[in-house]
Structures are given as structure tokens and as C-alpha cells.
Amino acid sequence: MQDDIGTLLRSFLNNALRKQPQHRIRDFGGYEVGKRRNLHVIEPIARDTADFLCTYLRIRLRGEPASREGVASTVAAALKNVSDEFAYKLTWHSDEAWSTVCNSVAEFLEGCLQIEAKPYDGSLTAQSDYNGWKSWEMVISGETPRGRWRHSWKEKPGDDFIGFYGDACMGRIFKIDLTGSDERWYWLIAADGSPRRGWPAAGFEASARSAACRVERIYFALVAGTGRVGCG
């Protein structure tokens, strides 16, 4: 089970960090290895990341709920430990560098904090409202994905897929058994630094089909410049 939480933590870290504005990534990485790095940008990056993590995970310190400020401080401490070389590689959009940085931050968080999934609320059914979605936003039973979905890793087929519409990556869906009985597919919107317009960047659905449809709904809304409405 802890391996599942570790995978989820790393996926959320990857999404939270990679959706940062490009100018922040450039300030963090510098313009050459170790040159012109602005480490003051770590604090806003850490705050954004902590907000994202605390929305989807239950994080504790010595058995007590950790504050978002505390989580942000921990993320910041881990980011300050990233080498100049890997920080600069982030500006190249290097997947290897991002994976290394996310894993480093995750290991530091796991060493300092207790991290669990948010408790299951019993509302995960295809018919009911759950997880913050309103009734008019639910994925209906006959809805099917419009894009092209393929395994995230060709050499390791499994319950993990990336969705494309043309050449554009829309997002990722993957299955993690966190409840022991109920099927739950997590989804992540591809991080490109664009405004989210009120749409969440991650969540879960009751099936692979509905998770893929959720990613596509949000992707097409963002492409069209449509914000989420009616949720106030």
C-alpha cells in the first residue's frame, strides 16, 4: 500500500512542479549550470506545490495534521537541495531531470512526514455526485473518449495511459488500489503552464473510460478558453 502512496505522491509532485510558469523554472534553473539562479522563486513554487498536495493527500507530522505552511517549508527545503546541474536541466524540459527532482522531493517528504490518501467518503458510484463535481458535470454512461490513448510505457503495459488529441498530450490516467475494493482511476491534466481557469488539475473517477473523458472535457475547455462555472 505504501508503494501505491509513493507512486501517487510522485505523480502529484510531477504535476504540481511541472505546471509552474516557465519564468519560475528558468529562475530556479539558471541560464547556465550554477549561473544566475534566483533561489527566491523556490518559496512560491513550494507554496503552490503544498496547496496541490494538501488538496489530494492527508499529510501529518508526528501524528498531527501538517499545516500547508509546514508542507511548503518541507518542499522548499528539498528544492534547495537540488544540484545546479539538475536544476539547469529542468529548463531543457528533460524528463530524466524532472523525474530525479520529483523523486528527491518525494523521498524527503516521506522521510519527514506521514502521507496517506484522503479518506474514502463512500460516494464513489457512477450515478452520484462525488469528489467536488456537480450533477451537470458528471461523465454520463454513454460518453466515450475522443482522443487516442496509449500505454504510458510501451515496455511496461498496464493500468497507466497517456491521452493525445492530434499531437497534443492531454493528460494521463492510471489505476491505484487505495481502498481494497472499489475501482478508482486517477487522472492528471498535462502540465503546460497555462491558466487552469478554475478547473482542477487532478482527481479520480470510477473507471478508465470516465477518467479519460474527464481529462478530455477539461482539456477541450482549456483549449477553448472556457472557465469552470456554477461551482460557487
Side-chain angles (χ1 to χ4, degrees), residues 53-131:
L53 294 179
C54 291
T55 298
Y56 297 103
L57 297 170
R58 184 166 62 182
I59 304 176
R60 296 179 177 182
L61 175 64
R62 303 185 188 90
E64 298 296 326
S67 67
R68 295 199 177 201
E69 293 78 10
V71 175
S73 295
T74 308
V75 172
L79 290 176
K80 289 174 183 176
N81 199 44
V82 174
S83 70
D84 290 345
E85 178 184 3
F86 272 98
Y88 182 57
K89 284 183 178 180
L90 299 183
T91 67
W92 305 352
H93 306 288
S94 166
D95 289 337
E96 177 189 4
W98 278 110
S99 178
T100 299
V101 169
C102 288
N103 190 60
S104 175
V105 174
E107 288 180 344
F108 190 71
L109 290 175
E110 290 166 336
C112 299
L113 303 165
Q114 299 166 295
I115 302 172
E116 306 170 15
K118 285 290 180 71
Y120 178 55
D121 61 10
S123 61
L124 182 57
T125 69
Q127 291 76 37
S128 65
D129 294 5
Y130 68 95
N131 203 29

Side-chain angles (χ1 to χ4, degrees), residues 1-10 110 176-178:
M1 185 67 72
Q2 188 58 41
D3 286 346
D4 288 341
I5 296 297
T7 299
L8 191 62
L9 172 61
R10 284 158 176 78
E110 290 166 336
I176 297 179
D177 181 11
L178 294 176

Side-chain angles (χ1 to χ4, degrees), residues 176-197:
I176 297 179
D177 181 11
L178 294 176
T179 65
S181 59
D182 296 280
E183 183 170 7
R184 185 178 288 205
W185 281 79
Y186 288 84
W187 54 265
L188 295 164
I189 298 298
D192 60 2
S194 61
R196 291 298 173 205
R197 303 183 184 278

Side-chain angles (χ1 to χ4, degrees), residues 13-224:
L13 277 171
N14 182 70
N15 195 280
L17 292 171
R18 297 189 73 158
K19 75 182 182 68
Q20 293 295 313
Q22 187 58 38
H23 68 87
R24 282 187 182 175
I25 302 303
R26 174 59 70 182
D27 284 344
F28 178 69
Y31 289 79
E32 294 180 42
V33 175
K35 299 294 181 64
R36 296 176 61 189
R37 294 188 65 192
N38 179 8
L39 297 186
H40 290 94
V41 78
I42 287 178
E43 300 302 330
I45 292 175
R47 286 195 298 270
D48 286 354
T49 303
D51 286 344
F52 190 91
L53 294 179
C54 291
T55 298
Y56 297 103
L57 297 170
R58 184 166 62 182
I59 304 176
R60 296 179 177 182
L61 175 64
R62 303 185 188 90
E64 298 296 326
S67 67
R68 295 199 177 201
E69 293 78 10
V71 175
S73 295
T74 308
V75 172
L79 290 176
K80 289 174 183 176
N81 199 44
V82 174
S83 70
D84 290 345
E85 178 184 3
F86 272 98
Y88 182 57
K89 284 183 178 180
L90 299 183
T91 67
W92 305 352
H93 306 288
S94 166
D95 289 337
E96 177 189 4
W98 278 110
S99 178
T100 299
V101 169
C102 288
N103 190 60
S104 175
V105 174
E107 288 180 344
F108 190 71
L109 290 175
E110 290 166 336
C112 299
L113 303 165
Q114 299 166 295
I115 302 172
E116 306 170 15
K118 285 290 180 71
Y120 178 55
D121 61 10
S123 61
L124 182 57
T125 69
Q127 291 76 37
S128 65
D129 294 5
Y130 68 95
N131 203 29
W133 296 112
K134 304 301 182 180
S135 57
W136 61 85
E137 296 178 309
M138 302 300 290
V139 176
I140 61 178
S141 59
E143 189 172 347
T144 57
R146 298 161 51 186
R148 174 173 55 89
W149 290 84
R150 64 166 178 79
H151 287 292
S152 298
W153 296 279
K154 293 181 180 179
E155 67 279 7
K156 188 181 178 183
D159 295 329
D160 199 316
F161 300 88
I162 295 177
F164 292 87
Y165 191 73
D167 293 330
C169 177
M170 296 182 290
R172 176 181 169 217
I173 64 172
F174 54 97
K175 183 181 177 182
I176 297 179
D177 181 11
L178 294 176
T179 65
S181 59
D182 296 280
E183 183 170 7
R184 185 178 288 205
W185 281 79
Y186 288 84
W187 54 265
L188 295 164
I189 298 298
D192 60 2
S194 61
R196 291 298 173 205
R197 303 183 184 278
W199 296 103
F204 64 84
E205 292 285 341
S207 68
R209 177 193 61 81
S210 56
C213 289
R214 177 66 66 198
V215 168
E216 293 188 358
R217 281 191 183 190
I218 296 176
Y219 171 79
F220 290 124
L222 292 174
V223 168

